[in-house]
């Protein structure tokens, strides 16, 4: 089976990854989103949730059988060993599910949307890396408005991610998302045409 051409899309919090991903989707390109997959692997009745329940106990689930995320967060933020256990369980499940979804895609190429693409070493799975870039002050203002959280909390998240300089150094392609939607659409159009050509060459 032919492996599709994969573009790994990433960027810091508040950079506009989702907006960019949706512009590619509007062109008929399949998106495989790590955040969505991360929720799918712990849905009620999933093997992932069953293992979490066995490890932490029944109280880790809500009455409707769904994962009690607040309870899980409390446990893992208080105990590094439990966080490590959870990561060891979920990261391979997420990776495997994403690759299954990539294999099922029928578009000319696939956009894999991964916020921590470089941090988790998932750039090894893709043909090209695309970074959506904005200045840190824009990240902070956009995220604090969107999520209604204090600037200090957003700054903490930015600090926990790979630095802007390192992310840009690792990028094959960069979209500057400091302009308006019209600028963004032009950038996506140019890259879309480039990726279509590259995907054809790899067939």
């Amino acid at each position: 089976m032919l492996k599709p051409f994969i573009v790994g899309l990433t960027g810091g919090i508040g950079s506009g990854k989702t907006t960019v991903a949706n512009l590619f989707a509007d062109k008929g390109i399949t998106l495989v989103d790590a955040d969505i997959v991360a929720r799918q692997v712990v849905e009620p009745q999933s093997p992932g949730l069953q293992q979490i329940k066995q490890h932490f106990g029944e109280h880790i689930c809500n009455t409707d059988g769904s994962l009690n995320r607040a309870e899980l967060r409390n446990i893992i933020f208080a105990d590094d060993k439990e966080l490590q256990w959870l990561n060891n369980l979920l990261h391979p499940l997420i990776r495997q599910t994403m690759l299954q979804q990539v294999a099922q895609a029928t578009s000319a190429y696939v956009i894999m949307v991964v916020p921590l693409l470089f941090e988790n070493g998932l750039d090894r799975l893709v043909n090209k890396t695309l970074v959506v870039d904005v200045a840190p002050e824009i990240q902070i203002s956009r995220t604090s408005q969107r999520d209604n959280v204090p600037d200090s909390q957003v700054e903490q998240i930015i600090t926990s991610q790979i630095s802007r300089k390192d992310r840009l150094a690792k990028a094959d392609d960069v979209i500057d998302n400091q302009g308006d939607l019209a600028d963004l659409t032009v950038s996506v159009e140019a890259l879309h045409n480039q990726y279509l050509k590259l995907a054809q060459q790899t067939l």
Side-chain angles (χ1 to χ4, degrees):
M1 182 173 163
L2 289 171
K3 182 183 168 214
F5 188 85
I6 308 170
V7 178
L9 172 64
T10 193
I13 187 167
S15 58
K17 290 182 295 296
T18 303
T19 306
V20 171
N22 288 337
L23 288 171
F24 280 104
D26 289 343
K27 297 186 172 299
I29 300 304
T30 300
L31 304 181
V32 175
D33 190 317
D35 285 346
I36 292 171
V37 171
R39 291 195 290 273
Q40 289 171 341
V41 299
V42 291
E43 281 175 349
Q45 312 305 320
S46 66
L49 185 55
Q50 295 300 334
Q51 290 187 62
I52 290 171
K53 207 157 47 171
Q54 279 172 5
H55 183 81
F56 293 107
E58 294 288 334
H59 67 91
I60 208 69
C61 287
N62 297 309
T63 49
D64 64 356
S66 63
L67 178 62
N68 184 336
R69 292 175 185 279
E71 177 67 17
L72 184 61
R73 265 197 302 273
N74 289 340
I75 294 170
I76 61 175
F77 283 134
D79 189 332
D80 284 347
K81 281 193 183 139
E82 295 294 22
L83 174 61
Q84 190 63 50
W85 180 89
L86 189 69
N87 284 340
N88 289 344
L89 168 72
L90 294 182
H91 285 177
L93 282 176
I94 292 166
R95 181 178 165 148
Q96 181 190 355
T97 305
M98 287 179 77
L99 289 174
Q100 282 169 354
Q101 292 183 8
V102 165
Q104 289 160 4
T106 53
S107 55
Y109 62 92
V110 178
I111 296 276
M112 198 186 263
V113 188
V114 190
L116 301 178
L117 183 76
F118 299 122
E119 292 90 333
N120 289 341
L122 293 172
D123 53 316
R124 291 193 298 270
L125 304 178
V126 305
N127 302 88
K128 279 267 181 189
T129 56
L130 170 58
V131 165
V132 185
D133 181 60
V134 295
E137 53 270 24
I138 295 177
Q139 287 182 268
I140 293 165
S141 65
R142 278 185 188 165
T143 309
S144 58
Q145 283 171 17
R146 181 191 70 194
D147 298 345
N148 199 20
V149 292
D151 289 1
S152 57
Q153 195 173 326
V154 186
E155 284 166 11
Q156 272 184 317
I157 294 168
I158 291 172
T159 307
S160 73
Q161 296 180 338
I162 190 173
S163 73
R164 183 186 186 192
K165 183 182 166 197
D166 288 347
R167 188 186 288 117
L168 290 171
K170 287 173 176 283
D172 294 315
D173 298 308
V174 178
I175 284 183
D176 181 338
N177 189 19
Q178 295 177 132
D180 58 18
L181 190 59
D183 295 331
L184 203 56
T185 306
V186 170
S187 300
V188 168
E189 178 71 32
L191 284 167
H192 173 64
N193 291 328
Q194 187 183 315
Y195 296 149
L196 285 176
K197 282 181 193 154
L198 288 168
Q200 280 298 116
Q201 288 165 14
T202 56
L203 288 178

